Amino acid sequence: MGKVTGFLEIDRQDQKYQPAADRIRHFREFTLPLNDQDVVRQAARCMDCGVPFCHGDTGCPVHNQIPDWNDLVYSNDWQEASRNLHSTNNFPEFTGRVCPAPCEEACTLNLENAPVAIKSVEQSIADKAWDQGWIKPEIPTVKTGRKIAVVGSGPAGMAAAQQLARAGHDVHVYEREAKAGGLLRYGIPDFKMEKHFIDRRVAQIEAEGATFHYGMNIGVNKPMAELVADHDAVLLTGGSEAPRDPKLPGAELEGVHYAMPFLVQQNRRVGREEIHDEPIIATGKRVVVIGGGDTASDCVGTSFRQGALNVTQLDIRPMPPVREDKLTVWPYWPTKFRTSSSQAEGAEREFACATLGVVGKNGKVTGVQCARVDEKRRPIEGTEFIIRADLVFMAIGFAHPVFEGMLSELGADLDKRGNLSADTKSYRTSVDKVFAAGDMRRGQSLVVWAIREGRQAAHSIDKHLMGSTDLAW
């Protein structure tokens, strides 16, 4: 694929960023895309590697045919590359921006620490397709007469709704918030993905026949039983929103928050939506973020943009190696030292650091009490220290879906982690006519996994209702 000797002749080149001093002054995207010529050169590096691990489950959950569209870009057939890319991924402009790119870790050239710049090529294809007007509504020629409800409009719900609408079903998407997107809109900051990308996809899906109903909190302002009775099938894609509780002493102090309310508030500000809760603002404050994942990193970047005095990120895990042992780990996602764009903006990072509690004065947080940990992540006596803090964010992940309301009324079986129980073939829950996909079924995961599950659930629902299906698996 690509140029036969391209990987020998052309060095890896990836997108660059605006300088940190400039980008922390705004909430817009700050990547500097490659020009078309450079994208073609990067696509040319894709080699005929025999077994392309990049598009198996190891590298790409939606099974993007990466070598194929790299070759098409190298041949300057961008439109066919877009058709190929969209055949497996409904929203490549989303994944091209926010996916951590396990495909690049699985790339054969990563054995030499120089994988193909797959993520940059993907984003370039998707952006060009929109710019050139190649992406249009795919309106079904025949209607099935079947009515389907999709609860939740995150990437799983949007992908499922689009696939089912294209199959000719009458699709109704029920969304609790005022706009579609789920955590894509309200959790991921605009500096990672601006929300007009979601808006134009919603417009496309609506043009294909789906109807979006906003402000609909199923199980709260619309009974679940009514929803099931009024539709031939119901797909639940409500996400995993219950935060993991660290049972941290002092968590009740003023200035201590879970990460998501902070991120949601800022996304609402940028989207000019009303905020009903007490504002959480990092301006002029010493911020401590507990957790080492993407959500923690988003808190770091958002705090800097709000004008935090300083930001410290705590991670109980030891500092990982700069490079992994390729022959032991590849082509799987490796544990290695990574610095996100937000961390590179000036965060102080503490590894092998346990959070013992939050301390305060007069009901307000003043610091976080920490200790070093051993190889079993147990605090080491005598290593305690306190980091000054005016604002603390707990960003240690999500435990399971929210039970109150919809799930309590539904009464479907849960798995041992508290997620809706459904297999990855039928996606059916234990309740007749009700299916589940995305984080609500599999637990907290990546956008690309949500898209995959939404597509596969749509395939299953269409087959269940019609006896057969032409929807891609």
Side-chain angles (χ1 to χ4, degrees):
M1 297 297 173
K3 186 178 181 181
V4 176
T5 57
F7 71 98
L8 296 171
E9 301 170 7
I10 302 168
D11 292 333
R12 174 183 165 92
Q13 181 183 359
D14 211 345
Q15 295 175 332
K16 298 189 183 318
Y17 298 149
Q18 291 178 359
D22 294 335
R23 66 182 189 249
I24 63 171
R25 299 175 185 274
H26 60 78
F27 280 89
R28 300 184 303 276
E29 291 184 14
F30 53 79
T31 55
L32 305 175
L34 302 176
N35 61 42
D36 285 359
Q37 183 179 359
D38 286 335
V39 175
V40 169
R41 285 173 55 81
Q42 291 307 300
R45 298 185 67 244
C46 187
M47 59 189 293
D48 188 4
C49 56
V51 180
F53 288 97
C54 60
H55 65 73
D57 274 358
T58 301
C60 183
V62 294
H63 296 175
N64 280 338
Q65 299 168 107
I66 294 165
D68 298 75
W69 43 255
N70 271 326
D71 185 52
L72 288 164
V73 169
Y74 170 62
S75 302
N76 270 304
D77 193 347
W78 289 80
Q79 190 167 4
E80 184 59 32
S82 172
R83 278 194 288 267
N84 187 301
L85 177 55
H86 280 88
S87 72
T88 57
N89 186 350
N90 295 66
F91 316 121
E93 69 274 29
F94 298 174
T95 51
R97 285 172 166 79
V98 303
C99 185
C103 52
E104 294 189 14
E105 297 292 348
C107 176
T108 301
L109 288 178
N110 191 39
L111 288 167
E112 295 294 328
N113 300 302
V116 176
I118 299 168
K119 183 176 175 179
S120 293
V121 177
E122 178 182 32
Q123 180 183 332
S124 298
I125 295 171
D127 289 350
K128 180 176 280 292
W130 279 104
D131 292 343
Q132 296 297 317
W134 298 333
I135 298 177
K136 301 181 185 299
E138 298 179 22
I139 302 171
T141 56
V142 177
K143 291 290 188 177
T144 66
R146 301 301 179 93
K147 187 178 180 182
I148 302 170
V150 177
V151 181
S153 65
M158 287 179 64
Q162 182 162 61
Q163 295 293 94
L164 291 167
R166 289 174 176 177
H169 300 300
D170 181 17
V171 179
H172 292 262
V173 182
Y174 295 87
E175 170 55 50
R176 179 189 61 198
E177 301 294 342
K179 296 180 181 180
L183 289 186
L184 270 175
R185 181 181 297 275
Y186 294 105
I188 294 175
D190 280 64
F191 57 78
K192 290 175 70 173
M193 191 183 83
E194 295 175 9
K195 303 311 182 282
H196 61 85
F197 296 113
I198 301 172
D199 296 334
R200 68 185 184 187
R201 281 296 183 184
V202 170
Q204 180 194 24
I205 296 169
E206 288 177 327
E208 292 168 343
T211 303
F212 285 76
H213 305 270
Y214 298 110
M216 299 298 294
N217 194 349
I218 305 303
V220 177
N221 59 12
K222 183 177 179 65
M224 183 67 191
E226 181 182 312
L227 194 75
V228 174
D230 291 345
H231 296 81
D232 296 297
V234 176
L235 175 62
L236 305 183
T237 62
S240 177
E241 295 186 314
R244 186 173 288 113
D245 184 2
K247 302 189 185 305
L248 201 64
E252 74 284 352
L253 290 168
E254 182 182 336
V256 182
H257 305 272
Y258 283 111
M260 202 49 62
F262 173 60
L263 297 175
V264 170
Q265 278 194 11
Q266 184 54 44
N267 281 323
R268 290 193 194 280
R269 288 189 194 95
V270 176
R272 298 183 180 179
E273 293 187 45
E274 192 173 350
I275 298 173
H276 300 285
D277 303 319
E278 186 70 23
I280 306 171
I281 300 292
T283 308
K285 296 179 180 177
R286 299 176 179 85
V287 178
V288 172
V289 181
I290 303 169
D294 290 338
T295 301
S297 183
D298 292 343
C299 287
V300 170
T302 300
S303 296
F304 279 129
R305 282 159 181 76
Q306 288 188 356
L309 192 62
N310 59 55
V311 182
T312 304
Q313 186 177 355
L314 310 181
D315 195 333
I316 196 170
R317 299 169 297 183
M319 182 174 177
V322 174
R323 287 187 177 175
E324 70 276 26
D325 182 343
K326 302 288 186 184
L327 297 182
T328 301
V329 179
W330 180 86
Y332 296 97
W333 181 261
T335 297
K336 64 181 179 182
F337 185 76
R338 305 172 193 271
T339 300
S340 71
S341 58
S342 292
Q343 291 164 340
E345 289 163 1
E348 299 176 24
R349 302 168 70 182
E350 294 280 354
F351 290 97
C353 179
T355 306
L356 304 180
V358 181
V359 296
K361 185 176 181 180
N362 298 326
K364 295 183 178 180
V365 61
T366 59
V368 178
Q369 186 176 18
C370 307
R372 298 300 172 194
V373 297
D374 60 21
E375 65 277 2
K376 293 185 178 180
R377 300 186 182 180
R378 297 175 303 196
I380 301 172
E381 189 176 352
T383 65
E384 296 84 2
F385 61 100
I386 290 179
I387 299 176
R388 292 179 65 187
D390 308 304
L391 193 59
V392 177
F393 296 119
M394 297 179 290
I396 55 173
F398 302 92
H400 49 68
V402 173
F403 296 141
E404 293 76 19
M406 181 175 69
L407 296 189
S408 295
E409 183 186 341
L410 179 66
D413 292 344
L414 305 176
D415 65 18
K416 61 184 180 181
R417 295 185 298 160
N419 302 311
L420 272 175
S421 181
D423 62 52
T424 56
K425 185 70 174 178
S426 71
Y427 285 89
R428 295 187 194 184
T429 70
S430 60
V431 176
D432 187 40
K433 294 176 29 177
V434 180
F435 299 73
D439 289 4
M440 184 165 269
R441 190 207 68 83
R442 69 176 287 114
Q444 180 185 2
S445 191
L446 303 176
V447 169
V448 68
W449 273 104
I451 295 172
R452 167 182 168 147
E453 294 220 347
R455 288 172 60 90
Q456 291 186 342
H459 172 103
S460 175
I461 292 170
D462 188 41
K463 187 174 182 179
H464 169 71
L465 294 178
M466 307 305 295
S468 62
T469 181
D470 292 327
L471 292 178
W473 176 256

